[in-house]
Amino acid sequence: MMNKEIKMSKFAHVTKVHPCYNEKLHDKIGRVHLPVAPKCNIACRFCRRSIGEESCCENRPGVAHHIMKPEEVEEYLRDLIKKMPNLKVVGIAGPGDSLFNKETFETLEIVNEKFPDLIKCLSTNGLLLPKYAKKLADLNVKTLTVTVNAVKPEILKDIVDWVYYEGKVHKGEEGAKILIKNQIEGVKKAYDLGLVIKINTVLIPEINMEHIVEIAKTFKDTAYLQNIIPLIPMYKMENLRRPTCEEISRVRDECEEYLPQFRACRQCRADAVGLLSEEKHLGGEGKELN
Ligand code: SF4
Ligand code: SF4
Ligand code: SF4
């Protein structure tokens, strides 16, 4: 087990410049999401994909105006760097599951080769992480967000309807078991390969509120940070309630005993661009909008 201070300093080279790992940087450092990954391999009950079948893991479920193709990425980033000299982080956060789309890897290769100075970041549900952790490390991905909403199958089955894995759909508890196992195994593997890991957790008061501390305990040695975000009641969870600010803050306090908590998340869209204090995203033609 690694002492907290050692863990913090081991990763300081990344966390010093990444706004999603350092609240103080939210209005100083720019980052962009490349919405190249539309498909998802699990079915979260709160997630409605808003263009075709898209949605996203990391963020306000699933809004990206268009899906970018890997071949558009180089030009897009070159233009953006001219306008945004403080751009430091390039993230792929869906809008589906990053690891389930080959375009993610094509994009990472382009960014790695053409823009070696930008920090590459990824968010995923973790189902395919045991398979791809090494590939991500080889592509110089430094930071990884894994969304974990429960570590007990009997709870996760009420959050995720099914999991598509190795050519088969696994429903209910059976699917939940596979997802949890792969998340734990994948995060450990990524951690051993030197990636800095953030656990995102959606707080759903009626389902996982009293259980989230178990998630923090499970990842206390392998993750760097936890980001607990409130449910936005949508889709099959539209009749559930959002947590109150007091509930969010109580759960964060409980979890903080095991994992440092990120408290400034504003649930960016999958195509978010710019400083986190701004609210820009891509327009229909790939332009920035305010
Ligand atoms: Fe939606 Fe992300 Fe869940 Fe997939 S993993 S269903 S994109 S929230
Ligand atoms: Fe931040 Fe997540 Fe995007 Fe990475 S993928 S830049 S952690 S929001
Ligand atoms: Fe990620 Fe939240 Fe920061 Fe947005 S505000 S970049 S979703 S951690």
Side-chain angles (χ1 to χ4, degrees):
M1 193 200 309
M2 201 188 280
N3 162 301
K4 210 195 253 176
E5 280 71 39
I6 300 177
K7 191 152 93 181
M8 294 284 186
S9 63
K10 181 179 166 204
F11 295 129
H13 59 293
V14 178
T15 54
K16 264 198 320 224
V17 291
H18 195 317
C20 303
Y21 286 76
N22 190 331
E23 291 168 19
K24 293 191 194 90
L25 298 176
H26 254 194
D27 51 2
K28 296 193 179 66
I29 302 273
R31 62 102 182 80
V32 60
H33 280 164
L34 303 173
V36 295
K39 292 182 296 175
C40 191
N41 47 4
I42 71 172
C44 299
R45 294 176 61 80
F46 53 75
C47 172
R48 182 171 36 224
R49 296 92 197 283
S50 71
I51 19 169
E53 52 179 341
E54 300 85 9
S55 180
C56 70
C57 264
E58 168 87 0
N59 318 311
R60 188 151 70 80
V63 217
H65 275 274
H66 86 304
I67 296 303
M68 197 182 273
K69 295 196 182 80
E71 54 271 28
E72 297 169 334
V73 162
E74 183 177 352
E75 200 188 328
Y76 175 68
L77 283 180
R78 287 212 191 282
D79 281 355
L80 200 62
I81 288 168
K82 279 187 215 142
K83 290 185 241 161
M84 259 178 70
N86 63 351
L87 178 69
K88 292 271 189 304
V89 177
V90 176
I92 302 180
D97 182 57
S98 308
L99 297 181
F100 190 51
N101 292 265
K102 67 172 184 359
E103 289 80 2
T104 295
F105 300 100
E106 292 165 17
T107 302
L108 288 172
E109 264 166 41
I110 293 168
V111 178
N112 200 25
E113 196 191 315
K114 310 280 182 186
F115 307 94
D117 295 338
L118 296 177
I119 292 180
K120 287 172 286 299
C121 184
L122 203 100
S123 102
T124 174
N125 60 38
L127 181 64
L128 298 178
L129 196 51
K131 185 169 172 196
Y132 290 125
K134 175 74 170 67
K135 190 160 176 177
L136 294 181
D138 290 345
L139 285 164
N140 289 314
V141 172
K142 297 288 180 226
T143 47
L144 186 69
T145 298
V146 184
T147 301
V148 181
N149 294 327
V151 287
K152 277 195 181 151
E154 58 273 32
I155 296 176
L156 192 60
K157 73 160 185 4
D158 294 332
I159 304 175
V160 176
D161 277 342
W162 51 257
V163 163
Y164 176 75
Y165 187 60
E166 295 184 337
K168 266 210 255 154
V169 173
H170 303 266
K171 292 192 181 151
E173 263 190 63
E174 184 195 323
K177 242 186 230 164
I178 299 172
L179 182 56
I180 294 165
K181 179 174 175 285
N182 284 13
Q183 287 174 329
I184 294 174
E185 207 179 299
V187 166
K188 169 79 170 74
K189 216 165 162 182
Y191 171 79
D192 287 342
L193 288 160
L195 275 82
V196 186
I197 295 147
K198 168 157 70 77
I199 301 293
N200 264 19
T201 302
V202 180
L203 170 45
I204 310 166
E206 281 116 319
I207 300 180
N208 66 357
M209 187 150 65
E210 305 313 323
H211 170 68
I212 291 182
V213 69
E214 293 302 319
I215 302 176
K217 269 187 212 167
T218 304
F219 293 97
K220 70 180 173 27
D221 296 330
T222 47
Y224 177 85
L225 195 64
Q226 184 177 35
N227 182 13
I228 297 172
I229 52 182
L231 171 74
I232 299 173
M234 288 177 67
Y235 192 43
K236 294 183 182 173
M237 291 201 178
E238 68 179 353
N239 295 322
L240 298 187
R241 68 173 181 89
R242 291 176 81 110
T244 63
C245 288
E246 290 71 34
E247 285 169 339
I248 301 172
S249 151
R250 171 178 63 80
V251 175
R252 283 175 175 163
D253 289 347
E254 276 167 29
C255 292
E256 193 147 54
E257 213 177 298
Y258 305 97
L259 260 186
Q261 298 290 302
F262 190 85
R263 291 172 191 261
C265 178
R266 291 203 325 263
Q267 295 179 283
C268 298
R269 300 160 46 117
D271 57 353
V273 56
L275 299 177
L276 296 177
S277 53
E278 298 166 351
E279 286 280 318
K280 286 186 178 168
H281 54 83
L282 295 176
E285 305 301 320
K287 295 192 194 85
E288 292 159 29
L289 295 174
N290 260 321

